[in-house]
Amino acid sequence: MPELPWFVPHRPAPHAEVHVMASRFETRTLRGALRFFARTPRIMWQIRTAPGAHGVTLRARPLRRTFWTLSVWESPEALYRFAGSDPHRSSARALKALMKESDFVSWTTDADALPLDWSDALQRLDVNRT
């Protein structure tokens, strides 16, 4: 399974409380998955330069049409600013019709817990789906 390594755009202050967001996306078709995957590099580049971004990784199973993201932000507002700006905003709009399911979960943690482990994020996403 392709997985992008944990990347830290901006280090948070020690002991700071940070905002975590995990997501799971499943596309309706393999073609939709390929379109999602093709947009990934631009979005990852955007995160690398986004103010308030403290970490990001992505897991992809394109043949199963499923993608997971895990990102850490200085605040929910920093995440919302990122999500509301291009290329993320226009990509999300363009891909919306191709999605079968999308799940999101957020929580806070101490910056000293970074980098995050996928197991906690995947468990939270599974609980959110039930």
Side-chain angles (χ1 to χ4, degrees):
M1 160 177 24
E3 183 173 319
L4 297 178
W6 184 259
F7 180 79
V8 179
H10 310 285
R11 293 211 180 275
H15 313 299
E17 183 176 83
V18 292
H19 182 76
V20 181
M21 199 278 297
S23 62
R24 178 186 173 278
F25 301 98
E26 183 179 345
T27 62
R28 294 180 188 282
T29 65
L30 183 56
R31 182 181 170 119
L34 296 174
R35 289 182 64 192
F36 184 101
F37 204 57
R39 290 177 182 262
T40 299
R42 289 180 56 207
I43 304 305
M44 295 305 285
W45 181 256
Q46 180 187 6
I47 292 172
R48 289 173 181 240
T49 60
H54 292 316
V56 63
T57 183
L58 172 117
R59 275 190 175 181
R61 287 192 177 164
L63 297 179
R64 292 188 181 178
R65 305 178 332 274
T66 307
F67 303 84
W68 296 264
T69 68
L70 180 57
S71 60
V72 177
W73 302 85
E74 72 180 7
S75 65
E77 293 77 23
L79 169 60
Y80 301 146
R81 280 192 304 273
F82 157 77
S85 61
D86 282 323
H88 184 275
R89 180 182 57 201
S90 58
S91 291
R93 287 179 181 164
L95 294 171
K96 186 176 180 178
L98 303 176
M99 291 299 146
K100 179 178 178 182
E101 293 181 15
S102 299
D103 297 302
F104 304 89
V105 64
S106 319
W107 68 97
T108 59
T109 193
D110 191 278
D112 296 337
L114 303 179
L116 296 177
D117 184 277
W118 271 109
S119 61
D120 182 38
L122 295 174
Q123 183 179 18
R124 288 173 186 261
L125 282 164
D126 284 345
V127 167
N128 193 49
R129 291 182 75 199
T130 58

